[in-house]
Each structure stands twice: as C-alpha cells, then as structure tokens.
C-alpha cells in the first residue's frame, strides 16, 4: 500500500508542470480581440512621402576598396 501511495504522489508531481503549462498557453478568444483597420490610402501616402536616396546604399562598401572594379595589371 505504501508503494502504491508513493507511485501516485510521483505521478502527480510529474503531471503538475504539464498541467500548469497547458493553462498558461491558451490563446485569447478571437471574438474579443480587435484588430486595427488598415487604411490603404494613408499607407500609400506615407510611402510616397519617403524621399528617394540620391545614391544607392552599398552594405559591403566598407569592406571593399573604392576602386574595386578596376583590375590591377
């Protein structure tokens, strides 16, 4: 009887973290969640306000010399 009680206690202790994790990981109800409305005109207007760069951005510009396109003789 004592071994049966110990086995039940061990099973209960092992299952407790899984039970707690299951309750914490529940997603909120989608009916109560409100999503912001996307305004396409405002989005396109904001994109049009971004100025065009005068020169292209070169992310590897620091690692290569300025005249890398010329081949040494």
């Amino acid at each position: 009887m004592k071994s049966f009680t110990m086995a039940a206690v061990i099973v209960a202790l092992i299952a407790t973290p899984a039970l707690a994790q299951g309750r914490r990981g529940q997603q909120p109800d989608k009916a109560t969640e409100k999503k912001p409305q996307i305004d396409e005109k405002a989005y396109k207007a904001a994109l049009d306000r971004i100025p065009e760069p005068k020169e292209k951005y070169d992310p590897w510009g620091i690692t290569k010399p300025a005249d890398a396109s010329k081949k040494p003789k």
Side-chain angles (χ1 to χ4, degrees):
M1 187 69 177
K2 185 175 182 179
S3 62
F4 177 73
T5 306
M6 291 300 289
V9 169
I10 291 173
V11 169
L13 289 175
I14 291 173
T16 303
L19 180 64
Q21 185 178 10
R23 288 182 183 160
R24 189 173 14 127
Q26 291 178 350
Q27 298 295 329
D29 191 16
K30 292 188 179 193
T32 59
E33 185 178 325
K34 292 184 180 180
K35 294 183 179 179
Q37 296 293 328
I38 299 173
D39 188 9
E40 292 293 326
K41 286 183 181 180
Y43 175 73
K44 289 181 180 180
L47 287 179
D48 290 338
R49 283 184 271 153
I50 297 174
E52 290 291 325
K54 295 179 180 172
E55 56 185 49
K56 287 185 107 179
Y57 174 70
D58 185 14
W60 291 96
I62 309 169
T63 60
K64 59 184 179 183
D67 49 3
S69 60
K70 297 179 183 178
K71 295 182 179 178
K73 293 184 179 180

